[in-house]
């Protein structure tokens, strides 16, 4: 991994931490053909649950998408390890998907994994098991949050009356809300 940005929130990013992150990201070098750049954020938070005190967020930009991992642990180094493992699994799935599209024929899901690391990894195939259609009436983002809470969902798709475009409100892990809108 040659192009990455490392930042820290409430933590001094020491040379030791920087070296550790770099050594873990080099495990992903075999996927270098797909990764365009990476962003790593290390955060130390003041929370009651010590196992969630240290957070590592990694975002890898790949053609046609983003691969992201967020891991928590009482130990920052352990959180970095866990995030690296998650990214490696996701990149394997991404690589399998790319190979399938290139060959335009079914491939053995274990073959790329064995060639790379000897692990048994099944190919990721998303199955859409339910489809819904509904009328979207224009509303504010605050009204959409109210609707989401009333339904007991973690997200809600709505037509934003201020921008006249589709938006999504969602509940964040920290208990606050987020809004996703097209640019």
């Amino acid at each position: 991994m040659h192009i990455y940005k490392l930042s820290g929130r409430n933590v001094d990013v020491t040379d030791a931490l920087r070296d550790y992150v770099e050594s873990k990201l080099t495990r992903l070098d075999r996927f270098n053909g797909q990764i365009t750049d990476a962003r790593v954020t290390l955060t130390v938070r003041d929370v009651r649950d010590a196992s969630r005190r240290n957070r590592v967020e990694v975002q890898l930009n790949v053609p046609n998408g983003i691969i992201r991992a967020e891991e928590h642990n009482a130990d920052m180094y352990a959180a970095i390890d866990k995030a690296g493992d998650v990214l490696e699994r996701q990149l394997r799935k991404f690589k399998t998907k790319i190979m399938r599209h290139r060959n335009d024929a079914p491939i053995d899901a274990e073959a790329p994994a064995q060639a790379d690391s000897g692990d048994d990894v099944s190919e990721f195939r998303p199955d859409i098991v339910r489809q819904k259609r509904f009328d979207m009436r224009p509303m504010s983002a605050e009204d959409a949050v109210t609707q989401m809470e009333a339904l007991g969902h973690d997200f809600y798709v709505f037509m934003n009356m201020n921008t006249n475009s589709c938006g999504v409100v969602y509940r964040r892990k920290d208990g606050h809300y987020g809004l996703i809108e097209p640019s």
Side-chain angles (χ1 to χ4, degrees):
M1 176 95 31
H2 303 288
I3 304 170
Y4 74 95
K5 180 183 175 191
L6 176 62
S7 61
R9 293 183 192 150
N10 301 326
V11 64
D12 183 29
V13 180
T14 63
D15 288 339
L17 268 176
R18 184 177 305 279
D19 291 344
Y20 196 76
V21 168
E22 189 171 339
S23 72
K24 291 301 172 180
L25 289 178
T26 56
R27 288 191 332 195
L28 307 176
D29 273 347
R30 66 175 155 245
F31 304 105
N32 210 13
Q34 286 86 28
I35 300 171
T36 57
D37 66 345
R39 184 178 56 189
V40 180
T41 305
L42 308 177
T43 307
V44 175
R45 303 178 306 158
D46 186 22
V47 294
R48 291 179 193 220
D49 184 3
S51 68
R52 298 188 61 79
R53 183 168 188 251
N54 295 297
R55 178 173 63 191
V56 176
E57 298 170 87
V58 183
Q59 177 178 313
L60 303 177
N61 294 319
V62 294
N64 302 320
I66 293 173
I67 294 176
R68 188 177 181 287
E70 178 179 325
E71 291 296 328
H72 303 86
N73 200 293
D75 177 47
M76 182 65 80
Y77 291 95
I80 293 167
D81 288 341
K82 286 169 55 177
D85 293 343
V86 168
L87 289 169
E88 192 167 352
R89 282 193 306 273
Q90 290 179 351
L91 282 167
R92 264 194 227 125
K93 289 177 184 178
F94 179 77
K95 186 175 180 180
T96 302
K97 183 178 174 184
I98 294 296
M99 296 298 285
R100 171 173 272 242
H101 285 283
R102 269 194 200 142
N103 296 339
D104 226 13
I107 59 172
D108 181 10
E110 293 181 19
Q114 288 175 348
D116 287 341
S117 65
D119 294 341
D120 180 19
V121 177
S122 61
E123 180 180 348
F124 173 68
R125 293 186 192 151
D127 291 328
I128 298 172
V129 296
R130 187 171 181 189
Q131 186 174 14
K132 288 186 176 183
R133 294 185 185 273
F134 58 95
D135 293 328
M136 290 196 296
R137 63 178 179 84
M139 64 177 70
S140 68
E142 291 78 18
D143 291 338
V145 169
T146 303
Q147 289 290 319
M148 177 185 74
E149 290 297 336
L151 293 169
H153 291 175
D154 293 325
F155 70 93
Y156 188 79
V157 180
F158 70 104
M159 180 64 68
N160 191 325
M161 63 190 244
N162 299 324
T163 61
N164 204 25
S165 64
C166 186
V168 177
V169 290
Y170 62 97
R171 185 180 306 109
R172 294 171 40 96
K173 290 180 182 176
D174 62 8
H176 293 92
Y177 300 99
L179 172 64
I180 301 173
E181 292 183 303
S183 55

